[in-house]
């Protein structure tokens, strides 16, 4: 009974792999002896169908000794290599100052043990952890409910934590499980509070960059990436001055070059010259008074807030905003709520009028 | 001071054309197409996003023979900028040395203003209007050839044809009401 379950799951996970990833990931997984791996390699090279390949692998793997945990490991490997298919949201943890010195999470395994124990108070689960770069990836499979429910993808939560930072990035969790998972995380990381910051997206690396390096985005990213020139030997050969020639050397002359240069400078100062992190959506909720009086003069009588929602959507919205300035479609410099998005670690904003501090004059 | 059509002496066997249009409208593509047409005289293309032109370049700038206003019928900002720039151009250019080019004139559903406003603009300045597109290479070459034809007239390369003659004999765009 248990084995068929494991077999079903294994097939499902293997079915997602792309052809050229099989060998690499199976080697990383380690549950298939190396002799059989060579055989897998030959099968891959034969260009048989994927289904046949999966069958062969299932046969080769020692199905009797595999557990759900092993299959979960394989699933996590798959997701580590394809992080951009899920919707991720970022959570921030806060610690009380007195907890800082006493309780520090020492190693990934210790963390996993502790978290597993905390979670097992609430539901049966399987938890596996892998490190990737300097981040800890966790896969939590919640084993509650009927057989079919246990196999459904809604009961799996992926979490990415950078140790010693205060952020955790999680994929979507069911509402019924959310509180328990949060509490378990708080206890295992010795923190007092966890809250969801308004930062969501699909591209995991960008979300991590926006959350962790929010102080060094835009113009300052060049310092973080070490692009500021400090080597005196790296300067190119000096150019000799040339006397300006009488014959115009170009047939196309742009008259407003100075304007264009000025605009480029402004964009460079706001966004920097590096690629912007990818955000799929930026949303603004406006709760200001209506401001388009020249188009609708009747609205000038209304003083109450005009609720409005503006969404920017695309494959990389920050690059798009940068290009807006470059294409001349906006007036520069851009307002703060557009130009500083990369430093605010948020993509859902609420814009409201400034509250008056003095009472209105009658 | 804005440039006029007679403030500088022309250079030998050269023609200068000025393209005025919003940023991103495709002036440099049009300039490329203009320069690809092999002409017996040397052609210089200058591009600007708005008039009046900055004063720093006025010394090195040659005499401008022909001014082309590029406007995009789908884009409100380009129309308003063109209207503002056309006001700044010296009046001597509107006697056959300027023309308006309307891009995207065929996509009726995307127009942000009536065509009558654009034809009204051209009639107000008494200048010819050309419709074209800069996306397709053939259409770009076609437009470039038309513009070059008019430039040659205003540079004086066509014997016994002056821009004023063309101006006086062209028809306007005031359409009569259908009977």
């Amino acid at each position: 009974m248990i084995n068929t379950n494991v077999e079903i799951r294994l097939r499902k996970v293997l079915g997602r792999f792309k052809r050229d990833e099989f060998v690499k990931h199976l080697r990383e997984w380690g549950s298939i002896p190396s002799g059989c791996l060579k055989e897998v390699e030959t099968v891959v090279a034969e260009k048989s169908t994927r289904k046949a390949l999966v069958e062969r692998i299932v046969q080769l793997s020692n199905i009797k000794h595999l557990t759900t945990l092993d299959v979960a490991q394989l699933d996590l490997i798959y997701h580590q290599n394809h992080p951009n298919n899920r919707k991720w949201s970022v959570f921030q943890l806060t610690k009380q100052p007195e907890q800082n010195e006493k309780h520090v999470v020492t190693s990934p395994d210790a963390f996993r043990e502790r978290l597993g124990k905390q979670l097992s108070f609430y539901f049966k689960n399987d938890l596996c952890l892998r490190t990737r770069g300097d981040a800890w990836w966790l896969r939590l499979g919640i084993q509650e409910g009927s057989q079919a429910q246990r196999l459904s993808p809604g009961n799996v939560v992926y979490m990415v934590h950078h140790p010693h930072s205060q952020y955790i990035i999680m994929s979507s969790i069911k509402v019924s499980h959310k509180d328990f998972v949060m509490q378990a995380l708080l206890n295992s990381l010795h923190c007092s509070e966890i809250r969801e910051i308004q930062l969501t997206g699909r591209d995991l690396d960008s979300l991590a960059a926006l959350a962790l390096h929010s102080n060094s985005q835009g113009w300052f990213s060049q310092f973080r990436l070490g692009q500021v020139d400090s080597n005196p030997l790296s300067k190119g050969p000096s150019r000799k001055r040339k006397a300006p020639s009488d014959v115009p050397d170009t047939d196309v002359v742009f008259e407003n070059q100075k304007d264009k240069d000025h605009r480029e400078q402004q964009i460079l100062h706001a966004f920097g010259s590096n690629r912007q992190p990818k955000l799929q959506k930026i949303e603004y909720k406006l709760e200001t008074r209506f401001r388009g009086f020249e188009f609708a003069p009747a609205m000038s009588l209304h003083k109450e807030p005009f609720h409005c929602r503006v969404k920017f959507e695309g494959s990389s919205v920050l690059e798009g905003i940068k290009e807006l300035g470059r294409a001349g479609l906006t007036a520069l410099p851009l307002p703060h709520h557009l130009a500083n998005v990369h430093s605010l670690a948020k993509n859902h904003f609420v814009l409201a009028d400034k509250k008056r501090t003095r009472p209105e004059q009658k | 001071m804005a440039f006029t059509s007679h403030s500088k002496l022309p250079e030998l066997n050269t023609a200068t054309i000025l393209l005025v249009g919003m940023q991103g409208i495709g002036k440099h593509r049009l300039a490329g197409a203009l320069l690809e047409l092999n002409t017996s005289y040397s052609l210089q293309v200058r591009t600007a996003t708005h008039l009046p032109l900055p004063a720093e370049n006025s010394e090195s700038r040659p005499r401008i023979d022909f001014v082309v206003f590029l406007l995009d019928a789908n884009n409100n900002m380009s129309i308003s900028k063109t209207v503002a720039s056309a006001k700044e151009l010296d009046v001597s250019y509107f006697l056959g040395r300027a023309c308006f080019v309307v891009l995207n004139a065929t996509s009726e559903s995307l127009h942000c203003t009536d065509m009558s406003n654009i034809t009204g603009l051209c009639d107000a300045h008494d200048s010819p209007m050309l419709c074209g597109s800069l996306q397709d290479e053939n259409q770009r070459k076609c437009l470039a050839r038309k513009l070059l034809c008019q430039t040659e007239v205003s540079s004086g390369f066509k014997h016994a044809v002056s821009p004023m003659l063309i101006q006086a004999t062209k028809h306007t765009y005031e359409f009569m009401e259908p009977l």
Side-chain angles (χ1 to χ4, degrees):
Chain A
M1 184 69 145
I2 308 168
N3 282 338
T4 48
N5 240 350
V6 172
E7 207 173 309
I8 297 172
R9 286 182 196 218
L10 185 59
R11 265 177 226 275
K12 232 172 154 185
V13 173
L14 285 172
R16 285 195 218 138
F17 279 50
K18 292 209 184 11
R19 186 175 284 276
D20 25 4
E21 296 175 339
F22 271 107
V23 179
K24 195 170 67 146
H25 294 169
L26 289 174
R27 189 168 294 145
E28 216 181 310
W29 188 33
S31 286
I32 293 190
S34 54
C36 305
L37 263 184
K38 286 206 174 45
E39 208 183 318
V40 172
E41 271 179 46
T42 47
V43 178
V44 168
E46 265 172 38
K47 293 190 198 291
S48 50
T49 62
R50 227 161 34 151
K51 211 170 162 192
L53 190 53
V54 170
E55 278 301 321
R56 194 81 194 89
I57 295 176
V58 170
Q59 281 171 4
L60 285 174
S61 65
N62 217 338
I63 203 79
K64 292 202 179 68
H65 296 289
L66 275 184
T67 60
T68 45
L69 205 61
D70 294 318
V71 182
Q73 288 266 359
L74 188 62
D75 189 33
L76 185 58
I77 294 174
Y78 172 74
H79 276 99
Q80 275 185 333
N81 288 304
H82 295 262
N84 297 341
N85 294 342
R86 306 207 142 233
K87 284 205 193 145
W88 301 95
S89 39
V90 186
F91 291 79
Q92 190 182 21
L93 303 151
T94 37
K95 261 190 181 179
Q96 295 293 346
E98 57 265 10
Q99 287 174 315
N100 251 337
E101 297 93 36
K102 272 206 295 180
H103 306 280
V104 170
V105 182
T106 45
S107 81
D109 288 321
F111 173 52
R112 181 174 47 86
E113 298 256 343
R114 221 186 132 86
L115 183 61
K117 205 167 71 147
Q118 291 286 330
L119 283 168
S120 60
F121 295 151
Y122 304 118
F123 23 64
K124 257 178 57 173
N125 62 359
D126 62 71
L127 181 69
C128 49
L129 183 147
R130 290 189 81 87
T131 46
R132 184 169 199 252
D134 54 359
W136 296 343
W137 281 68
L138 291 133
R139 177 193 187 273
L140 169 64
I142 296 175
Q143 320 275 30
E144 291 287 307
S146 69
Q147 203 73 289
Q149 270 184 348
R150 285 186 211 186
L151 292 175
S152 77
N155 279 339
V156 180
V157 182
Y158 297 89
M159 297 181 259
V160 181
H161 177 55
H162 289 256
H164 305 291
S165 76
Q166 42 173 328
Y167 296 102
I168 279 199
I169 308 178
M170 288 202 246
S171 64
S172 43
I173 323 178
K174 269 196 190 160
V175 180
S176 44
H177 300 152
K178 195 165 177 180
D179 291 327
F180 303 122
V181 174
M182 297 294 161
Q183 190 58 43
L185 275 171
L186 283 179
N187 288 340
S188 49
L189 285 169
H190 314 286
C191 297
S192 57
E193 201 192 318
I194 185 169
R195 76 185 171 96
E196 183 162 5
I197 57 177
Q198 303 291 326
L199 181 61
T200 58
R202 283 197 163 215
D203 189 304
L204 187 69
D205 297 321
S206 307
L207 288 179
L210 282 171
L212 296 170
H213 302 297
S214 66
N215 290 337
S216 64
Q217 294 286 346
W219 175 244
F220 305 108
S221 60
Q222 57 176 329
F223 303 110
R224 174 168 47 99
L225 297 168
Q227 290 165 344
V228 180
D229 179 30
S230 58
N231 180 2
L233 295 175
S234 66
K235 287 216 187 333
S238 62
R239 287 172 297 191
K240 289 213 179 107
R241 283 178 174 271
K242 274 197 287 198
S245 56
D246 298 319
V247 179
D249 50 358
T250 156
D251 282 324
V252 181
V253 179
F254 189 44
E255 296 279 340
N256 304 94
Q257 192 65 39
K258 217 164 67 119
D259 281 344
K260 192 166 172 189
D261 290 337
H262 184 55
R263 251 203 310 266
E264 276 295 325
Q265 273 278 34
Q266 281 177 317
I267 293 177
L268 202 65
H269 271 281
F271 289 97
S273 53
N274 292 311
R275 196 140 266 272
Q276 304 293 313
K278 284 195 187 160
L279 277 178
Q280 277 74 31
K281 183 160 88 149
I282 301 185
E283 203 176 293
Y284 296 92
K285 283 205 177 75
L286 292 163
E287 280 163 17
T288 59
R289 280 175 306 140
F290 188 76
R291 293 230 172 130
F293 298 139
E294 54 265 23
F295 300 108
M299 290 295 287
S300 57
L301 303 165
H302 294 251
K303 295 284 181 208
E304 65 272 358
F306 186 76
H307 294 274
C308 165
R309 203 153 70 132
V310 179
K311 261 200 271 196
F312 289 84
E313 275 179 357
S315 56
S316 175
V317 180
L318 289 176
E319 282 283 334
I321 295 180
K322 186 172 167 184
E323 290 298 318
L324 272 184
R326 200 168 268 161
L329 291 167
T330 58
L332 290 173
L334 283 171
H336 285 288
H337 54 265
L338 274 176
N340 287 348
V341 177
H342 50 73
S343 300
L344 292 171
K346 269 169 106 164
N347 51 358
H348 300 263
F349 297 91
V350 176
L351 303 175
D353 275 331
K354 261 200 200 148
K355 296 253 187 308
R356 283 176 182 275
T357 48
R358 287 174 299 146
E360 270 193 27
Q361 302 281 338
K362 282 274 165 70
Chain B
M1 203 183 72
F3 60 99
T4 67
S5 63
H6 298 292
S7 52
K8 290 197 188 178
L9 288 175
E11 285 161 37
L12 202 56
N13 213 24
T14 37
T16 313
I17 185 170
L18 172 68
L19 303 174
V20 181
M22 199 185 81
Q23 192 185 16
I25 209 171
K27 302 189 286 290
H28 285 258
R29 274 184 290 180
L30 184 57
L34 280 166
L35 292 167
E36 268 173 23
L37 303 168
N38 280 326
T39 50
S40 54
Y41 50 90
S42 88
L43 177 70
Q44 204 200 47
V45 182
R46 298 182 91 93
T47 57
T49 51
H50 61 275
L51 293 175
L53 296 177
E56 298 93 48
N57 295 343
S58 59
E59 291 305 316
S60 58
R61 201 185 298 143
R63 182 187 81 153
I64 306 270
D65 292 312
F66 197 68
V67 180
V68 179
F69 289 97
L70 287 156
L71 60 92
D72 188 350
N74 294 346
N75 195 327
N76 227 337
M77 203 152 86
S78 99
I79 296 178
S80 53
K81 278 195 167 177
T82 310
V83 168
S85 299
K87 286 198 193 122
E88 298 284 336
L89 184 61
D90 187 57
V91 109
S92 59
Y93 274 99
F94 287 116
L95 297 170
R97 291 197 167 87
C99 99
F100 291 85
V101 171
V102 183
L103 304 172
N104 291 330
T106 48
S107 51
E108 281 286 337
S109 51
L110 294 171
H111 282 180
C112 58
T113 173
D114 250 353
M115 261 324 252
S116 59
N117 289 343
I118 300 180
T119 51
L121 169 70
C122 304
D123 279 336
H125 293 286
D126 219 8
S127 294
M129 177 180 92
L130 295 172
C131 293
S133 128
L134 295 177
Q135 316 286 5
D136 187 34
E137 201 181 316
N138 283 332
Q139 295 193 8
R140 228 181 305 157
K141 279 194 189 153
C142 195
L143 185 63
R145 249 176 270 140
K146 286 183 198 169
L147 290 174
L148 219 50
C149 222
Q150 295 186 309
T151 322
E152 284 170 8
V153 168
S154 67
S155 312
F157 292 141
K158 301 284 184 199
H159 183 58
V161 178
S162 79
M164 190 70 110
L165 178 64
I166 305 285
Q167 173 82 346
T169 50
K170 78 167 176 66
H171 60 80
T172 63
Y173 288 96
E174 284 166 22
F175 297 116
M176 307 283 268
E177 286 286 314
L179 295 166

